Amino acid sequence: MNTLDEPNGRVTKDGIRIHEPGDFAGMHRAGRVAAEILDLIGPQVVPGVTTEMLDDFIREEIARRGVTSATIGYRGYQHASCISVNHVVCHGIPGPKVLKDGDVLNIDVTVIVDGWYGDTSRMYVAGDLPRKAERLIQVTHDALFKGIEAVRPGRTFGDIGHAIQTHVEMNRMSVVRDFCGHGLGRVFHAPPNVLHYGRPGTGPRLEEGMFFTIEPMVNLGRPETKVLADDWTAVTRDKSLSAQFEHAVGVTATGCEIFTLSPAGKFHPTW
Ligand code: MF3
Ligand code: CO
Ligand code: CO
């Protein structure tokens, strides 16, 4: 790597990159593109469409903007999104599956804009939202924001996980342990692992300039998952319904900035 390619900032003893104030703008641009595409997909999620049709739409929107999909070609993955329906926890592969009334799904999009990664996901519903899914989605959404509210310099990653876990378990649901959030920036997945459970005061300390995702997966039943034979699709072992929301954030002097806010204010499926 020559000196011109050398990234700004430094790396902590835990391997977490500390970005410069000027790096936030790049992350906001990338996050905004990913969030805009999730805004546009909302009206397309109706009974009768296949998850492949939704992925094609996302692929075209990415191309139309002249940006790059981070997932196409990532470890052999071939799609512009992950679409995880009902008991699929994450990494659902778009395909010929036809959505039916009452299906709830997470759509996860990651784009690269001028070298910066924008990674976000939300829940959608095809047709009418069933009552038990509504409760799961609300608790998962609020758990993400409890985690985001715990982000500020001096707190720890354990504080984030604890805030999420407490909210979920208070509502008698469970936090998935097998997948986590991650550092990101000019790379897709970097240290640390951002766990969605934990004990206060444990784990690395948060510092201004850290960029990472928080992306809790919450199950109505037990937390255990298994990966299907396609090597990607993760499902709940007990077939219970699962939900997930993901934002990418950057730590500031007083809290954090969310890079992936919905420009249309449509992050939640009933907004
Ligand atoms: N966007 C996912 C995440 O939140 C990763 C998807 S990788 C893929 O980290 F290859 F499955 F697309
Ligand atoms: Co992510
Ligand atoms: Co994602």
Side-chain angles (χ1 to χ4, degrees), residues 7-271:
N8 298 327
R10 62 185 177 87
V11 173
T12 68
K13 65 171 167 28
D14 301 299
I16 306 169
R17 178 162 294 285
I18 305 300
H19 298 85
E20 304 273 288
D23 295 341
F24 280 71
M27 288 299 285
H28 275 292
R29 286 198 304 275
R32 185 183 177 91
V33 171
E36 272 170 8
I37 292 170
L38 290 187
D39 284 347
L40 287 174
I41 197 76
Q44 317 288 321
V45 180
V46 292
V49 302
T50 66
T51 55
E52 200 156 62
M53 289 161 65
L54 298 175
D55 188 69
D56 287 342
F57 178 90
I58 291 165
R59 191 186 300 252
E60 281 159 25
E61 285 300 324
I62 290 172
R64 211 164 63 75
R65 287 168 169 72
V67 302
T68 306
S69 164
T71 56
I72 298 172
Y74 176 79
R75 297 181 181 219
Y77 196 78
Q78 292 301 330
H79 304 270
S81 61
C82 296
I83 303 185
S84 303
V85 184
N86 295 336
H87 77 296
V88 179
V89 173
C90 63
H91 303 162
I93 302 175
K97 181 187 176 64
V98 179
L99 295 182
K100 60 180 195 309
D101 184 60
D103 281 345
V104 292
L105 49 147
N106 173 278
I107 305 184
D108 190 338
V109 170
T110 309
V111 294
I112 312 169
V113 180
D114 299 331
W116 297 100
Y117 284 70
D119 183 7
T120 180
S121 80
R122 330 177 173 152
M123 295 303 293
Y124 298 85
V125 57
D128 291 323
L129 181 56
R131 183 65 64 85
K132 68 177 179 115
E134 182 178 2
R135 214 181 130 249
L136 171 67
I137 288 169
Q138 190 65 48
V139 168
T140 309
H141 172 275
D142 295 349
L144 167 60
F145 280 88
K146 299 274 181 194
I148 290 173
E149 283 164 19
V151 176
R152 60 185 301 162
R155 300 283 205 93
T156 69
F157 281 93
D159 293 334
I160 298 173
H162 181 73
I164 294 167
Q165 181 180 13
T166 301
H167 185 72
V168 169
E169 293 180 353
M170 202 171 70
N171 285 283
R172 298 183 311 284
M173 299 178 191
S174 65
V175 173
V176 169
R177 310 295 205 263
D178 301 335
F179 299 92
C180 56
H182 49 92
L184 84 174
R186 270 168 296 221
V187 292
F188 196 172
H189 294 113
N193 286 332
V194 180
L195 306 182
H196 303 115
Y197 59 94
R199 282 177 295 125
T202 63
R205 208 158 278 285
L206 298 171
E207 291 182 45
E208 189 175 350
M210 289 180 174
F211 296 167
F212 53 88
T213 71
I214 307 178
E215 47 182 300
M217 285 140 275
V218 175
N219 300 345
L220 272 184
R222 295 194 48 81
E224 291 81 11
T225 71
K226 67 173 179 191
V227 175
L228 301 185
D230 62 23
D231 275 347
W232 283 104
T233 312
V235 300
T236 55
R237 281 196 175 265
D238 64 4
K239 304 278 169 61
S240 68
L241 217 51
S242 188
Q244 178 179 29
F245 286 89
E246 173 175 26
H247 267 319
V249 303
V251 183
T252 63
T254 55
C256 71
E257 289 178 11
I258 302 174
F259 297 129
T260 45
L261 284 176
S262 163
K266 290 202 173 309
F267 192 63
H268 189 288
T270 65
W271 289 350

